[in-house]
Amino acid sequence: MTTTAAATAAGRDALSVPVRRLTVLYDAQCPLCTHLRNWLARQPQLVPLDLVPVGSEEARRRFPGLDHAAASEEITVVGDGGQVYRGAAAWVTCLWALAEHRPLAHRLSTPTGLRLARGAVLAAAKYRAAQRPARCGATGCTPAE
């Protein structure tokens, strides 16, 4: 899915229109991912979050042009204008959508903050791999079926 093509199809310019809704693709088979999914669901949201298992029929229906194998390797967030965020940028985007965590997201969006966010995402990925060694490897985890 290219950002421009998705935005054009929706009649919106993904680079200049405000994000009105985000879809967070998460691994429903991963305890850490489901914990974070549940935490996100409980938070007051400034931008609505749709929490959808990665690789699910729903995810494939919503985003037919998305590389779902790549999305299963790291957190992926898709904006309603076709924006695709992965890894640390995806996590910062999730925090930006939350009422109580938007100031933190702004701090993490700086070059220094993004390095910190990247480190947190890498630590989470290592934890995730350690919890599920049979399904996770060097290229990430297999998507939920």
Side-chain angles (χ1 to χ4, degrees):
M1 164 185 289
T2 65
T3 301
T4 308
T8 303
R12 298 177 63 208
D13 177 2
L15 301 176
S16 63
V17 223
V19 175
R20 295 183 296 213
R21 182 169 220 92
L22 294 165
T23 301
V24 179
L25 299 173
Y26 71 96
D27 182 352
Q29 304 302 313
C30 169
L32 176 61
C33 300
T34 55
H35 174 77
L36 290 172
R37 177 246 179 256
N38 294 338
W39 180 80
L40 286 169
R42 290 190 308 267
Q43 302 305 305
Q45 299 171 2
L46 295 172
V47 176
L49 296 175
D50 295 331
L51 305 161
V52 177
V54 68
S56 66
E57 285 184 34
E58 176 70 10
R60 292 182 189 284
R61 182 189 63 74
R62 286 182 182 211
F63 311 111
L66 183 70
D67 181 349
H68 292 273
S72 71
E73 292 179 16
E74 60 185 340
I75 182 173
T76 301
V77 175
V78 182
D80 62 337
Q83 309 90 333
V84 176
Y85 308 93
R86 288 200 165 94
W91 184 242
V92 171
T93 301
C94 287
L95 293 174
W96 174 83
L98 304 177
E100 296 175 15
H101 299 285
R102 187 167 277 185
L104 174 60
H106 285 292
R107 288 192 302 275
L108 291 175
S109 68
T110 66
T112 301
L114 202 51
R115 280 195 299 275
L116 178 63
R118 203 171 288 122
V121 169
L122 288 173
K126 286 185 181 188
Y127 174 82
R128 182 177 174 217
Q131 295 302 306
R132 305 193 47 223
R135 290 194 52 183
C136 298
T139 61
C141 298
T142 58
E145 298 288 332

